[in-house]
Amino acid sequence: MTKLIKTRHYSTENAQMLVDAGVHPLLAKLLAARGVDSQVSMESTLKHLIPPHLLMQNTAMAKCLAELIAQQRKILVVGDYDADGATATAVAVKGLRGMGAQVDFLVPNRFEYGYGLTPEIVQLAHQSKPDAILTVDNGIASIEGVAHANALGIQVLVTDHHLPAEATPQATCIVNPNQRGCTFPSKHLAGVGVMFYVLLALRAELIAQGRMDAAQPYPLAELLDLVALGTVADLVKLDRNNRILVEQGLRRIRAGACCPGILAILQCAGRDMHKVTAQDLGFYVGPRLNAAGRLDDMALGIRCLLADHIQAAMPDAQQLQALNVERRQIEAGMQQEALADLEEVTVADRFTLSIYQPEWHQGVIGILASRIKEQYHRPVIAFASAGEGLLKGSGRSIPGLHLRDALDYVTKQHPTLIIKFGGHAMAAGLTIRDTDFFTFQQAFETAVRTYITVEDLQEAIETDGALTPDEMTLETASLLEKQVWGQGFPPPMFYDQFRVVSQRILGEKHLKLQLQKGQSRYDAIYFNQAELLPEQVHAVYQLQINDYKGQQQVQLQLKYAHA
């Protein structure tokens, strides 16, 4: 599929301001193109974080938790089964225990209980007789679950970041930057970020009550590696506040001051902790952690993150590694089947793709939807059987379509079609009856056609233009790799014309190339590209360091190429 190449615009005035402040000219241009308009907005120290008291109900939440700690009440953390939920649970358990709380955790098994604080999970939680349930990365939609907990005499404290529906649960306290009335300047905190902010407020409350030494407070900075991991893995926008959290977390990991669980997962993935980047967290650590929730039970991942030393963490990390290998195999088979099914469909005539096969694995449909979306640049919802005549769906969207809004439109047009749904602009989940699959397929297509146009189906790649030969160096690659890039603050991609000097296919699916520009030649890799390129190509690429047997050299990682 042909892609539209666009060049990012930037303010030359802001770029010059950054250069005058001592920023490298290329980096200044890249940062200006991503909205950085001053040296101050580049600061990444913790003192530049948005203050915790600005988060609605955070001070009240801190008082509730301080009282529970003072009375030695039993707190049960109920998390979610993805990487954000796992890191948020680990942050809650570590932080609360460190400040004197009696705390344990429970994470729903995706296949038995589904998502969120359901009445069934509350009933399971009730067996351990908690005085309070603290939700992390869920709870804002758990109206029935909170009501059931209230009926059982269990206090519920909700920390979440998902968008609320019209009604919210009757919890004792809710901290969520996206709840109505909250004026917190950053709406993009991940679930783990919200929990970290709750702990910041709790520490301040304990100091104010004289129950913690202000000169030697509990070191919450020790949890920032977990905060960075969950923030990157959940693909929330890396606004300035989140970039500070991620940068500080990365610094701890590179210094070897991270939790043993993250270190063990990095070792299993063959990554050097001293050189770890935000992309490493997103591509190597997050997926291995997520594999537990997708195929097994996220309690495994949380146990790994809570381990006190690497010897205790390593067996769990190795199990996560094995699960991730299994997940990749399952995903590859499902993708092959989905692509074969789509050969029977004229994709060009459709705005959406709703796909389903009875044998598909419920824990992998989200990744499948993402892969198919990348291939066809259309909103995709992949379904799997959930038993009892139900289908679970996981959707991924494209720029221009708010997926949750589209599903809301479907429910307004067909009130009984979707049993339940929730999510974000770019990702959502839902449940329907298996007999309604084709009805849903048509209803979703109709809904999306009201929101987007044919032009939105044309994939565009934003680049930062061409690099000069003087910029295509190890020094430049190193400079770029040290920055925090991610969702909403995309890593630099460049666009240029090259002559293909040589090329060969690796492992039947990747291209290894040597490209020439002017008098200079560069090694390049083009993943998931099994067709040879013409002699002259225009290529979108990232500048990287290829570290092979201790030898470092510049490598171009191609993202897209055309004649």
Side-chain angles (χ1 to χ4, degrees):
M1 180 182 273
T2 307
K3 300 177 184 182
L4 187 64
I5 309 297
K6 293 182 177 179
T7 304
R8 282 191 186 89
H9 297 292
Y10 67 95
S11 162
T12 51
E13 187 180 326
N14 288 344
Q16 189 58 50
M17 200 185 307
L18 294 173
V19 170
D20 293 343
V23 179
H24 185 284
L26 174 63
L27 185 58
K29 182 181 90 166
L30 297 172
L31 293 175
R34 287 153 180 79
V36 176
D37 55 9
S38 68
Q39 173 72 12
V40 174
S41 59
M42 287 182 64
E43 294 288 344
S44 59
T45 54
L46 292 173
K47 70 178 182 181
H48 289 94
L49 280 178
I50 299 167
H53 69 270
L54 295 181
L55 192 53
M56 183 173 155
Q57 293 196 36
N58 204 19
T59 303
M61 177 71 82
K63 291 182 185 299
C64 287
L65 288 169
E67 187 177 346
L68 288 166
I69 293 171
Q71 297 174 0
Q72 280 298 285
R73 300 291 187 192
K74 189 174 178 184
I75 302 169
L76 185 68
V77 176
V78 176
D80 184 20
Y81 42 67
D82 66 359
D84 185 18
T87 52
T89 301
V91 163
V93 171
K94 283 189 174 191
L96 289 171
R97 281 180 183 163
M99 288 189 262
Q102 274 196 53
V103 61
D104 207 342
F105 75 89
L106 174 67
V107 61
N109 183 292
R110 177 194 297 261
F111 310 106
E112 291 179 50
Y113 294 101
Y115 170 78
L117 188 71
T118 60
E120 293 79 11
I121 278 294
V122 170
Q123 200 58 43
L124 183 64
H126 184 50
Q127 294 175 12
S128 58
K129 297 184 169 50
D131 297 294
I133 287 174
L134 174 67
T135 72
V136 292
D137 193 31
N138 76 96
I140 196 66
S142 303
I143 294 168
E144 294 175 358
V146 171
H148 188 52
N150 290 340
L152 292 171
I154 304 172
Q155 184 181 25
V156 181
L157 306 172
V158 170
T159 75
D160 202 350
H161 70 125
H162 294 96
L163 298 171
E166 292 298 319
T168 51
Q170 296 297 307
T172 301
C173 195
I174 298 175
V175 176
N176 180 340
N178 290 302
Q179 68 178 311
R180 287 174 190 80
C182 184
T183 56
F184 190 71
S186 169
K187 300 297 182 183
H188 304 290
L189 284 174
V192 69
V194 176
M195 188 61 228
F196 183 72
Y197 260 80
V198 167
L199 293 176
L200 287 172
L202 172 59
R203 183 174 68 177
E205 179 64 26
L206 292 175
I207 291 170
Q209 291 184 13
R211 291 164 51 196
M212 185 180 285
D213 184 356
Q216 288 186 305
Y218 178 76
L220 284 174
E222 292 182 358
L223 303 175
L224 282 165
D225 54 330
L226 291 164
V227 178
L229 171 56
T231 299
V232 171
D234 210 46
L235 298 177
V236 291
K237 182 179 180 181
L238 291 189
D239 60 11
R240 185 189 173 201
N241 207 60
N242 277 338
R243 291 200 305 279
I244 293 172
L245 293 172
V246 172
E247 172 65 32
Q248 291 296 323
L250 286 170
R251 288 183 187 182
R252 293 196 66 82
I253 297 171
R254 290 172 190 148
C258 63
C259 78
I262 290 180
L263 183 56
I265 295 170
L266 282 168
Q267 283 189 14
C268 287
R271 309 309 290 177
D272 182 350
M273 70 173 178
H274 300 297
K275 299 175 182 175
V276 75
T277 64
Q279 284 92 323
D280 288 328
L281 297 183
F283 290 119
Y284 295 100
V285 186
R288 283 164 173 78
L289 194 54
N290 271 326
R294 293 188 186 285
L295 300 188
D296 193 340
D297 193 316
M298 188 47 98
L300 167 69
I302 296 167
R303 193 169 68 231
C304 181
L305 297 178
L306 289 174
D308 291 328
H309 49 83
I310 194 157
Q311 289 84 359
M314 190 54 79
D316 291 335
Q318 289 168 340
Q319 200 173 337
L320 292 173
Q321 171 85 355
L323 284 170
N324 195 50
V325 170
E326 184 185 349
R327 186 270 304 167
R328 282 205 299 256
Q329 291 169 343
I330 293 169
E331 177 201 328
M334 287 167 56
Q335 191 173 338
Q336 214 169 9
E337 291 165 359
L339 292 173
D341 285 352
L342 289 170
E343 285 179 5
E344 309 296 317
V345 177
T346 309
V347 174
D349 294 343
R350 300 192 61 83
F351 276 46
T352 66
L353 298 171
S354 298
I355 54 179
Y356 163 61
Q357 284 205 18
E359 303 79 25
W360 283 350
H361 195 293
Q362 197 186 125
V364 186
I365 50 174
I367 303 177
L368 175 65
S370 185
R371 297 283 185 263
I372 301 300
K373 179 212 71 169
E374 287 167 11
Q375 180 126 355
Y376 292 107
H377 198 67
R378 276 149 175 71
V380 176
I381 299 185
F383 287 91
S385 174
E388 299 179 351
L390 298 178
L391 300 183
K392 283 275 179 67
S394 187
R396 297 293 183 269
S397 193
I398 60 173
L401 177 72
H402 193 299
L403 190 53
R404 190 186 177 281
D405 286 356
L407 293 175
D408 192 45
Y409 181 93
V410 172
T411 62
K412 286 181 169 62
Q413 302 301 311
H414 307 268
T416 62
L417 185 56
I418 300 178
I419 296 168
K420 59 180 177 180
F421 74 98
H424 302 290
M426 300 305 287
L430 69 156
T431 303
I432 64 172
R433 296 167 195 84
D434 55 11
T435 51
D436 286 338
F437 173 71
F438 294 109
T439 307
F440 173 81
Q441 200 174 37
Q442 292 166 336
F444 184 53
E445 175 78 14
T446 302
V448 169
R449 283 177 179 268
T450 67
Y451 282 95
I452 61 175
T453 65
V454 173
E455 286 71 31
D456 293 312
L457 301 177
Q458 167 72 60
E459 184 175 2
I461 300 179
E462 277 197 302
T463 80
D464 296 285
L467 287 175
T468 66
D470 291 343
E471 291 171 330
M472 297 177 76
T473 63
L474 271 176
E475 290 72 26
T476 303
S478 177
L479 176 73
L480 298 183
E481 283 196 357
K482 285 175 183 169
Q483 308 304 313
V484 171
W485 312 104
Q487 192 75 10
F489 203 78
M493 289 202 288
F494 306 101
Y495 183 58
D496 220 327
Q497 185 171 3
F498 299 93
R499 183 173 76 86
V500 178
V501 178
S502 66
Q503 55 184 324
R504 58 191 172 92
I505 297 172
L506 298 178
E508 299 183 2
K509 61 177 183 176
H510 309 307
L511 265 189
K512 180 72 176 164
L513 310 103
Q514 191 172 64
L515 303 177
Q516 183 168 343
K517 176 185 171 185
Q519 300 305 308
S520 302
R521 292 187 176 187
Y522 307 95
D523 286 339
I525 187 80
Y526 193 174
F527 292 117
N528 300 309
Q529 171 69 21
E531 293 180 20
L532 297 177
L533 300 180
E535 187 179 349
Q536 296 289 333
V537 294
H538 292 80
V540 175
Y541 64 93
Q542 286 181 283
L543 195 67
Q544 296 183 328
I545 297 174
N546 184 23
D547 201 334
Y548 183 67
K549 292 184 177 178
Q551 295 291 313
Q552 290 191 334
Q553 59 185 46
V554 169
Q555 176 175 269
L556 313 183
Q557 184 180 336
L558 272 55
K559 297 294 184 178
Y560 176 65
H562 64 95

